[in-house]
Amino acid sequence: MSTPVQATIRIPLRWRDMDMLGHLNQAVYHEFLEEARGALLESLPDMEHFPFVLVRVELDYRSEVRRELGHVDVTAAVERVGRTSITVAHDMLKPDGTVAASGRSVLVAWDPRARGARPLTDGERGALGG
Amino acid sequence: MSTPVQATIRIPLRWRDMDMLGHLNQAVYHEFLEEARGALLESLPDMEHFPFVLVRVELDYRSEVRRELGHVDVTAAVERVGRTSITVAHDMLKPDGTVAASGRSVLVAWDPRARGARPLTDGERGALGG
Amino acid sequence: MSTPVQATIRIPLRWRDMDMLGHLNQAVYHEFLEEARGALLESLPDMEHFPFVLVRVELDYRSEVRRELGHVDVTAAVERVGRTSITVAHDMLKPDGTVAASGRSVLVAWDPRARGARPLTDGERGALGG
Amino acid sequence: MSTPVQATIRIPLRWRDMDMLGHLNQAVYHEFLEEARGALLESLPDMEHFPFVLVRVELDYRSEVRRELGHVDVTAAVERVGRTSITVAHDMLKPDGTVAASGRSVLVAWDPRARGARPLTDGERGALGG
């Protein structure tokens, strides 16, 4: 019903991102997901009270990304809001719209003092569309 | 019945691997899985005829890794041999034996000329324990 | 007399670029210089006949770069054209114009077949303003 | 007269360290120098009171490093002890003893509260062989 809470960022490719075959290295995809998650969380109010830790990622690599593409666009969209965690869906698109990769991250709300998961507050839940 | 085909490598941590919180960065875990997969594939005969591409990864981050641990041990074990793909199980262990992360990669046998998946040969299947 | 041959690129900062102190990691500066050199060389005609290898770099780190700055601008300007090499001057600027770093790279024109340095051609020399 | 204060570390190469040409990427050399400086500083007493920041690096790339070499050895040796800074000489050696790179770092003793350089103490000076 409601629009999903999401963020999309454009990430220019760097030479250093490429592997020996001239493709975007598989680990660098995860740097890009991190950028998209950061953009998503920064778009929320009271982000500074809102530490999260990544507890799971799954990613399907769908098509190769070469340096000459110049950039990719990466999306992080809240897919599910749980009691202590959120699930975020990701897509990475090439300039022609082809899906380079798609996947999912699970983030847990973190209590830095107790060093453990904590329930999301009502305010957080609202901001996340949950 | 048979021993699984697997490889374990010890990876010293670098300062550059750490993030702003002093933990092993989430993307660097995937560099380490790549090292373990490389060690696994290099342990097979005829590896040079045996290109693979990563098509999927899933990883559960279970406990934080800090620089002072010095190193981690990462395992890649063949879990399933399909017609064109293999599934590899991963564990990352800290020096005290705690599991830092565990997950799974799917690799597809690649035909570089046709730029597509190809069936595993019988020889490959045997080497992989499938 | 003549305008120097140069290129400037804007590089968005990534979370992964930061070290444990929350600063741009010292090695990542060199990834950024590589981007600027790439932009410089790509701006030249016949770049595809023009392989170069980096043989020396020197860099002064002048002020810290933090993630919240968002981006830096990095320049590569041809400073000197030698018989087989070019010297490139670099500046990295923060959004407020402060110099984050400045330095110099030396690149050698490379003959891939002979695997050694080769003299610059007259065409290359002209393109480089030498 | 006295033996120089120095540290050497062996660094296994990772797939991710390699560039599109199959060589150790030029920026990764600087990650390796950082490891050697870390090993040097950790070998000193009272290291925890001894923060340093890198203010300059210069590096000559002498020969290519390929993945199949397996590892390199990197040295950091105190070359000069100044009033507020130390100069550290670096060599990176391949398994056959060939010099892959050599250079020099300048580190400044840092006062985190004043956010500025501070004089080395007599104890530090002694530990550094200055």
Side-chain angles (χ1 to χ4, degrees):
Chain A
M1 227 62 84
S2 56
T3 338
V5 176
Q6 67 171 61
T8 300
I9 48 163
R10 176 154 297 182
I11 302 181
L13 300 172
R14 302 177 185 167
W15 290 108
R16 177 73 189 110
D17 297 332
M18 303 294 128
D19 66 16
M20 289 174 60
L21 301 175
H23 302 143
L24 183 61
N25 174 271
Q26 56 86 29
V28 179
Y29 284 74
H30 296 272
E31 300 183 20
F32 290 9
L33 302 189
E34 185 172 48
E35 291 302 306
R37 288 189 300 262
L40 175 68
L41 295 176
E42 285 177 351
S43 74
L44 302 176
D46 298 321
M47 176 44 203
E48 65 276 18
H49 306 117
F50 208 4
F52 275 106
V53 296
L54 181 68
V55 296
R56 179 178 168 80
V57 71
E58 46 184 75
L59 189 65
D60 290 298
Y61 298 87
R62 298 195 186 282
S63 64
E64 66 187 22
V65 175
R66 303 186 70 88
R67 177 65 173 71
E68 55 268 30
L69 294 179
H71 69 264
V72 291
D73 291 310
V74 188
T75 297
V78 177
E79 191 177 71
R80 183 179 162 276
V81 180
R83 199 182 64 86
T84 62
S85 71
I86 58 174
T87 302
V88 175
H90 293 289
D91 278 303
M92 186 184 303
L93 298 184
K94 297 196 273 194
D96 69 358
T98 313
V99 177
S102 57
R104 182 170 283 107
S105 306
V106 182
L107 301 166
V108 161
W110 192 250
D111 182 335
R113 269 153 314 194
R115 300 195 72 70
R118 62 171 178 78
L120 293 168
T121 66
D122 289 348
E124 289 166 351
R125 221 168 260 290
L128 290 161
Chain B
M1 228 60 86
S2 56
T3 339
V5 176
Q6 66 171 61
T8 300
I9 47 162
R10 175 154 297 181
I11 302 181
L13 301 172
R14 301 176 186 168
W15 290 108
R16 177 72 188 111
D17 297 332
M18 301 295 128
D19 66 15
M20 289 174 61
L21 300 175
H23 302 144
L24 183 61
N25 175 270
Q26 55 87 29
V28 179
Y29 285 74
H30 296 272
E31 300 182 21
F32 290 9
L33 301 190
E34 185 172 47
E35 291 301 306
R37 287 189 299 263
L40 175 68
L41 294 175
E42 284 176 351
S43 74
L44 302 177
D46 299 320
M47 176 44 203
E48 66 275 19
H49 306 118
F50 208 4
F52 275 105
V53 296
L54 180 68
V55 296
R56 178 176 169 82
V57 72
E58 46 185 74
L59 190 65
D60 290 297
Y61 298 87
R62 298 196 186 282
S63 64
E64 67 187 22
V65 175
R66 304 186 70 88
R67 178 64 171 73
E68 55 267 31
L69 293 180
H71 68 264
V72 290
D73 291 309
V74 189
T75 297
V78 178
E79 191 177 71
R80 185 180 161 274
V81 180
R83 199 182 65 86
T84 63
S85 71
I86 58 173
T87 303
V88 175
H90 293 290
D91 279 302
M92 186 184 302
L93 298 184
K94 297 196 274 195
D96 69 356
T98 314
V99 176
S102 56
R104 183 171 282 107
S105 306
V106 182
L107 302 166
V108 161
W110 192 250
D111 182 335
R113 270 152 314 193
R115 300 195 71 72
R118 61 170 179 80
L120 293 168
T121 65
D122 289 347
E124 289 166 351
R125 220 169 261 290
L128 290 161
Chain C
M1 226 63 84
S2 56
T3 339
V5 176
Q6 66 171 61
T8 300
I9 48 162
R10 176 154 297 182
I11 302 181
L13 300 172
R14 302 177 186 167
W15 289 107
R16 177 74 188 109
D17 296 333
M18 302 294 130
D19 66 16
M20 288 175 61
L21 300 175
H23 302 143
L24 183 61
N25 175 270
Q26 56 86 30
V28 179
Y29 285 74
H30 296 273
E31 300 182 20
F32 290 10
L33 301 190
E34 185 173 48
E35 290 302 306
R37 287 189 300 262
L40 175 68
L41 294 176
E42 285 176 351
S43 74
L44 301 177
D46 299 320
M47 176 45 202
E48 64 278 18
H49 306 117
F50 207 5
F52 275 106
V53 295
L54 181 67
V55 295
R56 179 177 168 81
V57 71
E58 46 184 74
L59 190 65
D60 291 296
Y61 298 87
R62 297 195 186 282
S63 64
E64 66 187 22
V65 176
R66 303 186 70 88
R67 177 65 172 73
E68 55 268 30
L69 293 179
H71 69 263
V72 291
D73 291 310
V74 188
T75 297
V78 176
E79 191 177 71
R80 184 179 161 276
V81 179
R83 199 182 64 86
T84 62
S85 71
I86 58 173
T87 303
V88 175
H90 294 289
D91 279 303
M92 186 184 303
L93 298 184
K94 297 195 273 194
D96 69 358
T98 314
V99 177
S102 58
R104 182 171 283 107
S105 307
V106 182
L107 301 166
V108 161
W110 191 251
D111 182 335
R113 268 150 317 191
R115 300 195 71 71
R118 61 170 179 78
L120 293 167
T121 66
D122 288 349
E124 290 166 350
R125 222 168 260 290
L128 289 161
Chain D
M1 227 62 83
S2 56
T3 339
V5 175
Q6 67 171 61
T8 300
I9 47 162
R10 176 154 297 182
I11 302 181
L13 300 171
R14 301 176 186 168
W15 289 107
R16 176 72 188 110
D17 296 332
M18 302 294 128
D19 66 16
M20 289 174 61
L21 301 175
H23 302 144
L24 183 61
N25 175 270
Q26 55 88 29
V28 179
Y29 285 74
H30 295 272
E31 300 182 20
F32 289 9
L33 301 190
E34 186 172 47
E35 290 302 306
R37 288 190 299 263
L40 175 68
L41 294 176
E42 285 177 350
S43 74
L44 300 178
D46 300 321
M47 177 42 205
E48 66 275 19
H49 306 118
F50 208 4
F52 275 105
V53 295
L54 181 68
V55 295
R56 177 176 169 82
V57 71
E58 46 184 74
L59 190 65
D60 290 297
Y61 298 87
R62 298 197 186 281
S63 64
E64 67 187 22
V65 176
R66 303 185 70 89
R67 177 65 171 72
E68 55 268 30
L69 294 180
H71 68 263
V72 291
D73 291 309
V74 189
T75 297
V78 178
E79 191 177 71
R80 185 181 161 275
V81 180
R83 200 182 64 86
T84 63
S85 71
I86 58 174
T87 303
V88 175
H90 293 290
D91 279 303
M92 185 184 302
L93 298 184
K94 297 197 273 195
D96 69 357
T98 313
V99 177
S102 56
R104 183 171 281 106
S105 307
V106 182
L107 301 166
V108 161
W110 191 251
D111 182 334
R113 269 152 315 193
R115 300 194 73 72
R118 61 171 178 78
L120 294 167
T121 65
D122 288 348
E124 289 166 351
R125 222 168 260 289
L128 290 161

